Amino acid sequence: MTFMELACNRYSERHFDSRPVEDEKLQKILEAGRIAPTACNYQPQRIYVLKSPDALEKARRTKASLYSCPLVLLVCYDSETVWKNPGDRCYELYNAGEQDASIVAAIMMFEAEDLGIHSLWIRGFDSRSVIDTFELPANHIPVMMLALGYPSEDSRPAHLHAKRKPLDETVIVL
Ligand SMILES: Cc1cc2nc3c(=O)[nH]c(=O)nc-3n(C[C@H](O)[C@H](O)[C@H](O)COP(=O)(O)O)c2cc1C
């Protein structure tokens, strides 16, 4: 399968099967994130693997839309490790943490897809609730959750999946 085929096949999964994700596959997914590029190679990503019933129950308490997924990766960045740009005149000490964490998460998402594991990118949660529930250290800034699992028989793309703007609406050629 080409990367383009993989990218076209992926869609947000909201109908997970209860079958657990095998540890070997989880390790490959985490490894894909490990080799992701990050600003200045500082590798500020901090990934919480939520797979015990207790951890998943806590994740659900944050009101994140996890559906029935058996595994969640909570992707954070370490604000003490992240690259900051002192020379940016729009943002005071711009930091690349959200970008780094998102690149890591995206690469893990596509590795999962390649392994037959479906995913859902989740940001619809209250950061305070995530910080308090998991008692995150103050320097671990939650960016997103990646829900992972096998598709169930009901699995199908939601209507938004088919709605992509044409390139001429999103690409500006100068
Ligand atoms: C930054 C970001 C945040 C998202 N947050 C949520 C979320 O909280 N809950 C949810 O069900 N889907 C969430 N999604 C999934 C998007 O709704 C979905 O990717 C989009 O509608 C396109 O559909 P597709 O992924 O099936 O192609 C999020 C996606 C991104 C990139």
Side-chain angles (χ1 to χ4, degrees), residues 110-171:
F110 284 113
E111 172 62 13
E113 182 71 26
D114 198 35
L115 296 168
I117 307 292
H118 283 200
S119 63
L120 179 62
W121 189 296
I122 299 166
R123 188 57 186 85
F125 55 74
D126 170 36
S127 304
R128 171 51 54 200
S129 173
V130 171
I131 291 165
D132 290 348
T133 302
F134 291 102
E135 298 179 11
L136 301 184
N139 53 315
H140 286 192
I141 313 298
V143 175
M144 58 82 71
M145 292 187 197
L146 191 64
L148 294 165
Y150 286 98
S152 71
E153 283 182 0
D154 297 328
S155 173
R156 62 184 178 279
H159 71 286
L160 285 180
H161 175 68
K163 296 194 174 180
R164 290 297 194 268
K165 294 176 181 173
L167 280 180
D168 62 9
E169 279 188 38
T170 59
V171 176

